[in-house]
Amino acid sequence: GSQSVRREAGPEPISRTDLLETGEDTYDFTTRDVSDMGTQDIRHVGVDSLTGETVTIDGVDLLVADVGAQAINVNTGQSIYVTSGRQYILASERLFLLGEDRHETGGEVVEDDFSPIDFLFPGDPGFGKTKPLYECGEQDL
């Protein structure tokens, strides 16, 4: 198994407030990742920007943000990954939801779309169930 914890807030932690109030949030912080392969400190640098668009998915209005980030091994200075894409924000809950993603690691590029499909709220049939409704195979828990 592996574990990742924020080591320090860094010069600029992620701020949902900055993004929602100004339309942009830059960040720069470090995590310490501990796994069977050892321990490494990873610097995360990125920017999230509201596009000004709002989309409606399953009757829920979501803000759209362009996102981009890079993870760098602090000890070697080597890039671990670069990611970019779009995310959605349910502003009333200050909740970020994944969307389209382009992830580059070691020369390999993977593109995914994790955009929300349905929203279930308290009182809706199926709310709180632990079995995924879409595109999820069995998971080791």
Side-chain angles (χ1 to χ4, degrees):
S2 66
Q3 177 183 20
S4 180
V5 294
R6 190 171 75 180
R7 185 166 177 251
E8 59 183 67
E12 190 145 359
I14 288 177
S15 172
R16 289 186 179 107
T17 300
D18 285 354
L19 180 63
L20 292 171
E21 288 182 0
T22 70
E24 183 173 282
D25 178 44
T26 57
Y27 55 89
D28 184 346
F29 64 92
T30 302
T31 59
R32 175 159 286 166
D33 289 17
V34 180
S35 72
D36 298 338
M37 304 297 289
T39 299
Q40 59 181 339
D41 289 338
I42 300 173
R43 181 177 173 205
H44 305 267
V45 180
V47 62
D48 300 335
S49 302
L50 293 179
T51 65
E53 297 172 72
T54 300
V55 298
T56 302
I57 298 175
D58 192 31
V60 176
D61 292 334
L62 304 168
L63 303 176
V64 179
D66 287 331
V67 298
Q70 181 176 19
I72 304 156
N73 183 311
V74 172
N75 299 326
T76 66
Q78 221 173 7
S79 176
I80 298 170
Y81 68 79
V82 176
T83 187
S84 61
R86 300 190 110 187
Q87 291 187 357
Y88 303 99
I89 300 144
L90 180 56
S92 63
E93 301 293 326
R94 298 173 54 87
L95 198 80
F96 275 67
L97 305 165
L98 296 176
E100 300 95 27
D101 180 71
R102 184 176 194 275
H103 192 92
E104 296 180 45
T105 305
E108 181 182 341
V109 176
V110 176
E111 293 186 8
D112 288 301
D113 188 348
F114 301 107
S115 298
I117 298 170
D118 288 328
F119 287 90
L120 299 177
F121 295 100
D124 289 343
F127 178 80
K129 293 203 174 191
T130 57
K131 183 178 178 189
L133 299 175
Y134 304 101
E135 296 185 25
C136 292
E138 289 188 31
Q139 305 266 330
D140 292 330
L141 299 177

